[in-house]
């Protein structure tokens, strides 16, 4: 084999990498293929002009080597590879240069036609996009280069490894490459970076080729002294993005020539059962050593644990020193997260990969809170332009309502908004409107109707003026029974009032009121349509169904199938909130969530807040056996956070089948419940203190109040801190006895009361403290929970973004409805259901 190397003017790092590949990979690969995309030397060369397809590199190598004479250190490297000035080397090098020197348009297309990556068997293909990547964005023509690279990589045989090199500012390129490789389905991907401005990617879709390159990278990371340029921390960080190459069941190789399909094809994780990993086994053994240890003992043994078991991020303090674990537990949990390929999954999430396998969808709700200039791609298309355009429409709509330009059918301004939706189309905005009530704009009341029980809608409409009421029908699918039934009834209510009011309206007209006279030349149906157009808006991914309902497209705010219902607050589903607090505040909510997205994506695992909360949940659930988790906001404004989290956490991770369809070997989402302190101290706290069950608790409190009445907030905080402390330490027999004696109780009284006065304690808790409850901090908090849920899904190997478990009941309800209505001659097949229906029939 021969090594020939072509250098260009900025080859210092490149040479280092080639050196690394050659030195470490020569036994594995027969050929080094070097593919520069823009190399001025080549462009101007005679070979470049005459034969773009394949070169004899000898002229270049001798030219390069002679130039190296002037750089003794570089020459040493050449020599160490066995290269000579004649160009002898351990590798055969082929050179392809697809770009600049062969022009553009048809010429280039022809070139690519003749370019056959399939021919490289057992090769290291060193792909040097150089400036070819510099201007890559997800839109317009510049993307072309990216897709050509994709095409190239998808056609590369499985026995070969592609190495993509880029010496542009590192983070951006790591992201570009991460995006590319994830979308390409390369399970064996390493992204290494060094010297802060170089990104380097090795790709392999074959496990053994992959593991050889991984070994090379690890070598490199482990031998910093040999490579003084390497910033080991950066390299290790980048390596943590590496998908596991050597794990037992590698994914099947990518099918050839199926690029389009590939993009849609779900990627299968290599890891199938986390309980079989070494990290899990170590954790299980470690849990045994902690069993029976009381939090009192843990604090006594390690006075520094408070400082070590906490995280602070953008003003949020997460204190988990009262969890039943030690700093060592955290280290072991992080090892488990590495086994679960956490960093790779985070990259996949943000890259827009269709990680919701069973629905073949991406989960890109982070794009909804993206800012101008951000790029979030699905199938290579940047979704941000449409997200921003819809956000601008929301802003305009809110301004029209707030400034009374939006008027009802009698030309009155809007005073009441009723959101009709359920699940993710209700819980988020309902919770957030209440949470941010302190920031509410005056003059507009928000109402939420979700339940199919008429009591919900009827009670809400009581006292509302149809002429001043705006309905928002929020439904991702626009097929949900509850929402459609409520929306139809609301429409009837409005139209009845509207038609009755027509007499008055005519009167107004006759007496000179400024009102649209054309309304009265219309048919009844046209009039009704006009009334609906003034009083109904819709939010949905199913725009045509909303239009069919009678809502004009101008009042329909779309969102997209890559937004899960329970992750949709940030989309137009947040409209009721934007109306309540104004669009500027709503954008603050998005900004807060965006900050948490950045943190989740970029923070190292040990300081990563969502990941840490996920690991705590996993520890409590799978190693301590907790079946539930209590969410305890010490904030009346956050009273609806527990129900919101019930959907977010339990609909996402309440699953016992992993993403590959296999039964989970461990427990998944605990039952989430809770309610606001201090109320709940007077309802269920008794059980937390003395019920004998393990219930990990999550306290949430704010340093400053959102509504300030003198003395209240400090009392609230005192209660919060007292409860978590009492739950942790309890009161043992001696303390209880001493308290009773101090209260002057007689000895026989003490003996009788003592068992009732003992608090076992050792109830684990985390306390989240926020500076205050405002739109920004709420956005951060909710995104924190979203990412925690995702991280837990990764750890358990679940798809957190589908919800098949809610379907069966819906189908059966549809079958039973005609039977209950008496419109169906058949009866229910189940005897119990039959008995229940028979009872109901007696009402007639
Ligand atoms: O309960 C199932 C569910 O599909 C939730 O996931 C969703 O948030 C809710 O129903 C409402 O669905 P839609 O927004 O389509 O009406």
């Amino acid at each position: 084999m021969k090594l020939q190397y072509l250098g260009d003017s900025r080859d210092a790092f490149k040479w280092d990498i080639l050196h690394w590949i050659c030195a470490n990979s020569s036994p594995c690969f027969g050929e080094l293929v070097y593919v520069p995309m823009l190399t001025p030397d080549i462009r101007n060369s005679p070979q470049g002009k005459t034969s773009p397809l394949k070169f004899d590199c000898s002229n270049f190598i001798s030219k390069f080597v002679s130039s190296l004479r002037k750089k003794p250190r570089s020459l040493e490297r050449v020599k160490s590879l066995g290269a000579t000035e004649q160009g002898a080397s351990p590798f055969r090098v082929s050179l392809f240069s697809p770009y600049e020197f062969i022009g553009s348009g048809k010429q280039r297309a022809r070139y690519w036609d003749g370019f056959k990556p399939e021919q490289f068997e057992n090769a290291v293909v060193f792909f040097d996009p150089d400036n070819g990547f510099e201007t890559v964005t997800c839109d317009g023509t510049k993307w072309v280069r990216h897709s050509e690279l994709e095409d190239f990589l998808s056609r590369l045989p499985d026995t070969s490894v592609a190495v993509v090199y880029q010496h542009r500012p590192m983070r951006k390129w790591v992201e570009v490459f991460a995006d590319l490789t994830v979308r390409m389905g390369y399970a064996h991907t390493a992204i290494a970076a060094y010297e802060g401005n170089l990104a380097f990617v090795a790709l392999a879709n074959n496990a053994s080729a992959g593991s050889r390159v991984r070994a090379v990278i690890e070598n490199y990371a482990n031998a910093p002294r040999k490579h003084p340029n390497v910033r080991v921390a950066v390299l290790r960080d980048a390596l943590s993005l590496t998908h596991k190459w050597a794990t037992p069941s590698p994914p099947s190789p990518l099918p050839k020539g199926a690029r389009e399909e590939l993009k849609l094809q779900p990627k299968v994780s290599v890891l199938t059962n986390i309980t079989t990993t070494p990290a899990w086994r170590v954790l299980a053994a470690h849990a045994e050593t902690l069993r029976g240890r009381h939090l009192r003992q843990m604090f006594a043994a390690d006075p520094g644990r408070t400082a070590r078991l906490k995280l602070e991020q953008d003003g949020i303090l997460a204190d988990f020193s009262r969890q039943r674990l030690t700093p060592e537990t955290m280290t072991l949990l992080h090892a488990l997260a590495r086994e679960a390929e956490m960093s790779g999954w985070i990259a996949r999430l943000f890259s827009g990969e269709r990680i919701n396998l069973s629905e073949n969808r991406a989960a890109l709700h982070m794009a909804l809170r993206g800012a101008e200039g951000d790029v979030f791609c699905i199938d290579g298309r940047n979704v941000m332009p449409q997200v921003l355009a819809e956000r601008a429409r929301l802003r305009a709509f809110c301004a029209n309502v707030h400034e009374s330009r939006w008027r009802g059918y009698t030309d009155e301004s809007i005073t009441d908004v009723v959101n009709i939706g359920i699940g993710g189309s209700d819980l988020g905005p309902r919770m957030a409107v209440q949470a941010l009530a302190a920031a509410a704009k005056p003059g507009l009341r928000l109402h939420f109707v979700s339940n199919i029980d008429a009591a919900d809608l009827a009670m809400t409409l009581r006292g509302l003026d149809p002429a001043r009421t705006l309905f928002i029908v929020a439904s991702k699918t626009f097929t949900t029974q509850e929402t459609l039934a409520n929306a139809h009834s609301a429409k009837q209510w409005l139209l009845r009032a509207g038609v009755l009011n027509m007499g008055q309206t005519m009167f107004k007209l006759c007496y000179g009121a400024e009102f649209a006279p054309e309304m009265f030349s219309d048919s009844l149906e046209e009039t009704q349509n006009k009334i609906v157009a003034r009083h109904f808006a819709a939010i949905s991914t199913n725009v045509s169904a909303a239009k069919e309902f009678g809502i004009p497209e101008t009042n329909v705010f779309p969102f997209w199938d890559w937004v899960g219902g329970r992750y949709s607050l940030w989309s137009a589903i947040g409209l009721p909130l934007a109306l309540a607090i104004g669009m500027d505040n709503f954008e603050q909510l998005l900004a807060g969530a965006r900050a948490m997205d950045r943190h989740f994506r970029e923070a190292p695992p040990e300081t990563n807040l969502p990941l840490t909360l996920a690991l705590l949940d996993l520890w409590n659930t799978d190693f301590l056996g907790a079946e539930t988790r209590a969410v305890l906001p010490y904030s009346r404004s956050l009273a609806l956070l527990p129900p919101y989290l019930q959907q977010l956490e339990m609909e996402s991770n309440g699953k016992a089948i992993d993403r590959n369809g296999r039964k989970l070997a461990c427990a998944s989402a605990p039952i989430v419940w809770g309610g606001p302190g201090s109320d709940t101290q007077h309802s269920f706290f008794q059980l937390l203190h003395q019920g004998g069950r393990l219930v990990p608790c999550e306290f949430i409190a704010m340093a400053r109040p959102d509504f300030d009445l003198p003395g209240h907030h400090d009392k609230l905080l005192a209660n919060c801190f007292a409860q978590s402390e009492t739950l942790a330490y309890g009161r043992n027999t001696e303390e209880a006895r001493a308290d009773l004696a101090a209260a002057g109780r007689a000895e026989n009284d003490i003996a009788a009361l003592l068992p009732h006065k003992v608090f076992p304690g050792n109830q684990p808790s985390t306390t989240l403290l926020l500076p205050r409850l405002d739109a920004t901090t709420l956005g951060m908090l909710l995104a924190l929970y979203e990412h925690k849920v995702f991280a837990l899904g990764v750890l358990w190997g679940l798809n957190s973004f589908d919800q098949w478990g809610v379907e069966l009941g819906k189908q059966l309800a549809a079958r039973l409805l005609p039977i209950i209505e008496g419109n169906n001659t058949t009866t229910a097949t189940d005897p119990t259901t039959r008995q229940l229906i028979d009872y109901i029939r007696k009402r007639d």
Side-chain angles (χ1 to χ4, degrees):
M1 284 189 289
K2 273 190 343 173
L3 169 72
Q4 296 167 336
Y5 173 69
L6 293 176
D8 67 14
S9 51
R10 292 168 303 226
D11 59 13
F13 288 132
K14 200 183 298 181
W15 181 248
D16 208 18
I17 288 172
L18 277 172
H19 173 263
W20 161 34
I21 294 168
C22 296
N24 292 283
S25 305
S26 52
C28 312
F29 299 99
E31 185 170 21
L32 176 69
V33 182
Y34 179 50
V35 189
M37 293 177 76
L38 172 67
T39 307
D41 293 352
I42 297 165
R43 185 175 48 215
N44 299 327
S45 74
Q47 288 93 336
K49 284 184 181 121
T50 55
S51 167
L53 190 58
K54 191 156 184 174
F55 292 89
D56 166 8
C57 308
S58 50
N59 281 351
F60 290 99
I61 194 73
S62 53
K63 189 171 144 210
F64 173 67
V65 170
S66 69
S67 80
L68 285 180
R69 283 208 187 96
K70 294 169 207 142
K71 307 178 194 168
R73 276 183 56 214
S74 300
L75 187 59
E76 275 316 297
R77 290 183 190 159
V78 180
K79 285 185 177 157
S80 73
L81 287 174
T84 67
E85 290 182 27
Q86 286 74 45
S89 80
F91 261 109
R92 187 176 79 242
V93 167
S94 308
L95 172 73
F96 290 85
S97 189
Y99 276 116
E100 305 292 329
F101 64 96
I102 53 155
S104 58
K106 276 188 192 154
Q107 234 181 325
R108 198 172 71 187
R110 236 191 353 262
Y111 174 77
W112 275 102
D113 282 349
F115 188 66
K116 302 259 180 285
E118 296 86 352
Q119 67 187 281
F120 304 122
E121 291 287 348
N122 264 327
V124 176
V125 184
F126 186 77
F127 205 81
D128 180 8
D130 206 340
N131 290 337
F133 261 117
E134 191 166 25
T135 49
V136 166
T137 64
C138 286
D139 57 311
T141 52
K142 288 168 186 163
W143 186 248
V144 168
R145 291 181 173 188
H146 199 152
S147 54
E148 282 174 354
L149 177 55
E150 277 182 35
D151 180 55
F152 173 87
L153 294 172
S154 72
R155 288 159 59 196
L156 201 63
D158 291 347
T159 54
S160 294
V161 166
V163 174
V164 185
Y165 156 84
Q166 179 55 252
H167 67 157
R168 302 290 149 189
M170 180 212 134
R171 185 165 292 286
K172 182 177 167 196
W173 297 115
V174 168
E175 281 167 14
V176 169
F177 291 141
D179 168 63
L180 173 72
T181 57
V182 161
R183 289 191 302 111
M184 291 296 299
Y186 277 87
H188 313 293
T189 300
I191 301 167
Y194 69 99
E195 202 53 25
N197 71 341
L198 182 137
F200 174 77
V201 184
L203 311 156
N205 48 13
N206 163 292
S208 62
S211 58
R212 287 180 302 208
V213 173
R214 182 177 169 78
V216 171
I217 292 172
E218 271 168 358
N219 251 348
Y220 209 66
N222 291 334
R225 266 187 227 99
K226 274 201 241 149
H227 306 282
N229 284 339
V230 178
R231 272 212 286 138
V232 175
V234 176
L235 188 58
R236 281 196 193 290
D237 190 21
L239 264 177
S240 72
L241 293 172
T242 306
H243 297 187
K244 295 284 173 207
W245 284 354
T247 32
S249 46
S252 32
L254 303 179
K256 294 278 165 349
R259 194 163 147 244
E260 281 316 303
E261 230 178 82
L262 265 178
K263 285 183 181 165
L264 300 175
Q265 202 178 320
K267 317 296 183 301
V268 178
S269 166
V270 178
L271 184 72
T272 52
N273 178 356
I274 194 150
T275 64
T276 61
T277 58
W280 185 281
R281 282 195 292 276
V282 173
L283 267 164
H286 171 76
E288 281 311 311
T289 67
L290 294 184
R291 206 169 297 288
R293 278 180 78 188
H294 198 283
L295 277 167
R296 284 183 181 222
Q297 294 166 310
M298 292 191 190
F299 274 96
D302 177 10
R305 67 180 268 126
T306 331
R308 282 206 282 278
L309 297 175
K310 67 154 193 196
L311 284 180
E312 270 184 89
Q313 179 59 39
D314 287 337
I316 299 181
L317 170 69
D319 183 319
F320 46 99
S321 61
R322 287 185 182 144
Q323 289 290 347
R324 280 195 215 162
L325 43 72
T326 64
E328 190 195 349
T329 320
M330 293 311 297
T331 308
L332 299 178
L333 285 167
H334 281 293
L336 188 73
R338 280 195 296 280
E339 295 269 13
E341 308 171 7
M342 186 61 68
S343 313
W345 276 100
I346 294 173
R348 285 168 154 206
L349 172 77
F350 280 90
S351 75
E353 181 180 325
R354 292 167 185 265
I355 55 174
N356 176 356
L357 301 184
S358 69
E359 296 180 322
N360 191 24
R361 289 176 183 162
L364 206 52
H365 40 279
M366 297 78 64
L368 299 170
R369 47 230 192 190
E372 199 110 20
D374 285 349
V375 173
F376 285 94
C377 294
I378 294 184
D379 298 336
R381 209 168 50 84
N382 185 10
V383 299
M384 282 312 292
Q386 57 187 137
V387 168
L388 294 173
E390 286 307 320
R391 205 184 289 163
R393 284 187 66 215
L394 286 187
R395 178 173 280 281
F397 184 82
C398 290
N400 284 341
V401 173
H402 291 145
E403 288 154 32
S404 299
R405 286 191 296 273
W406 185 283
R407 305 183 87 83
Y409 67 92
T410 58
D411 208 27
E412 311 262 16
S413 58
I414 300 297
T415 55
D416 292 88
V417 177
V418 181
N419 188 76
I420 299 177
I422 197 163
S425 302
D426 166 68
L427 291 163
R430 188 196 284 259
M431 174 272 298
V433 164
Q434 180 168 327
L436 300 178
K441 283 189 169 284
L444 199 61
R445 288 178 294 267
L446 270 296
H447 313 267
F448 291 86
V449 171
S450 57
N451 203 306
I452 188 88
D453 186 341
D456 201 359
L457 181 65
M459 286 299 293
T460 304
L461 296 183
R462 223 180 235 185
L464 294 191
D465 177 356
R468 289 172 159 269
T469 299
L470 174 69
F471 292 97
I472 299 173
V473 186
S475 175
K476 178 175 167 179
T477 55
F478 226 84
T479 57
T480 304
Q481 190 196 45
E482 292 95 325
T483 301
L484 291 187
N486 280 324
H488 279 291
S489 298
K491 191 172 163 186
Q492 291 317 312
W493 175 81
L494 172 77
L495 291 179
R496 266 199 309 276
V499 175
L500 284 178
N501 271 341
M502 274 177 57
Q504 287 175 27
T505 311
M506 213 152 358
F507 180 86
K508 272 191 182 175
L509 268 173
C510 294
Y511 291 91
E514 296 161 15
F515 191 60
E518 78 280 0
M519 192 170 259
F520 297 94
S521 57
D522 291 339
S523 67
L524 180 65
E525 196 190 339
E526 283 166 334
T527 306
Q528 289 184 341
N529 288 344
K530 285 185 177 170
I531 293 172
V532 170
R534 301 279 187 104
H535 291 272
F536 270 86
I539 304 160
S540 187
T541 57
N542 188 352
V543 175
S544 56
K547 278 163 62 185
E548 224 164 89
F549 177 88
I551 301 174
E553 195 162 356
T554 44
N555 300 4
V556 180
F557 297 93
F559 63 113
W560 306 276
D561 75 353
W562 43 264
V563 183
R566 50 195 176 273
Y567 299 87
S568 63
L569 171 66
W570 327 96
S571 70
I573 289 289
L575 177 59
L577 177 64
L579 284 168
I581 61 174
M583 199 60 195
D584 288 345
N585 273 325
F586 185 71
E587 297 231 18
Q588 285 305 308
L589 178 96
L590 303 185
R594 192 159 62 236
M596 188 53 72
D597 291 342
R598 203 176 311 119
H599 166 73
F600 182 52
R601 195 176 188 178
E602 295 178 1
E606 288 70 21
T607 54
N608 196 309
L609 199 47
L611 173 60
T612 301
L613 293 194
L615 293 172
L616 297 176
D617 272 13
L618 179 121
W619 171 252
N620 286 329
T621 304
D622 293 313
F623 293 96
L624 301 191
E627 300 222 314
T628 81
R629 181 171 120 263
V631 177
L632 307 165
Y634 270 67
S635 158
R636 190 65 186 76
S637 303
L638 281 180
L640 295 177
L641 185 66
Y644 167 81
L645 291 182
Q646 283 176 329
Q647 188 198 18
L648 181 65
E649 303 200 13
M650 296 200 279
E651 196 167 86
S652 297
N653 288 339
K655 293 158 193 174
I657 298 294
D658 74 11
R659 68 174 86 89
N660 298 320
R662 278 177 288 246
K663 189 147 178 29
L664 278 196
C666 58
S668 61
I671 297 158
V672 178
W673 61 292
S678 61
D679 304 68
T680 48
Q681 287 175 207
H682 305 274
S683 54
F684 56 69
F685 265 66
Q686 164 64 35
L687 179 148
L688 298 181
H689 287 294
Q690 292 185 314
R693 290 174 194 276
L694 170 65
V695 183
C697 298
E698 197 157 274
F699 290 88
I700 302 161
M702 268 54 67
R704 287 184 213 88
D706 48 348
F707 289 94
D708 200 3
L709 290 179
H712 283 252
H713 199 65
D714 289 347
K715 290 189 180 79
L716 180 72
L717 290 178
N719 273 282
C720 174
F721 300 163
Q723 289 300 326
S724 60
E725 189 176 320
T726 310
L727 285 167
Y729 293 100
R731 181 166 59 186
N732 62 26
T733 314
E734 294 72 50
E735 289 162 344
R737 178 186 293 283
D739 284 355
L740 286 166
R745 294 290 194 147
E747 204 38 55
N748 53 346
D749 260 11
I750 293 179
L753 278 175
L754 200 53
H756 304 285
K757 292 285 191 171
V758 169
F759 285 59
N762 211 21
Q763 198 71 288
S765 71
T766 295
T767 300
L768 295 175
L769 289 182
L770 279 64
R772 64 176 69 76
L773 184 59
D774 60 19
T776 313
T777 56
L778 182 68
M780 290 178 72
L781 185 69
L782 301 182
L784 165 62
Y785 280 114
E786 284 183 351
H787 292 316
K788 180 200 81 165
V789 165
F790 171 72
L792 269 168
V794 170
L795 290 164
W796 284 320
L798 295 175
N799 173 7
S800 300
F801 300 104
D802 60 10
Q803 57 285 313
W804 297 105
V806 296
E807 293 304 320
L808 185 58
K810 282 189 199 171
Q811 285 163 16
L812 185 55
R815 283 210 297 277
L816 293 180
L817 179 61
I819 303 174
I820 294 175
E821 284 173 335
N823 296 334
N824 196 322
T825 48
T826 61
T827 52
T829 47
D830 173 69
T832 310
T833 308
R834 246 191 339 263
Q835 177 162 290
L836 300 175
I837 292 176
D838 286 348
Y839 175 88
I840 296 299
R841 285 241 173 87
K842 289 191 198 128
R843 71 191 169 185
D844 312 321

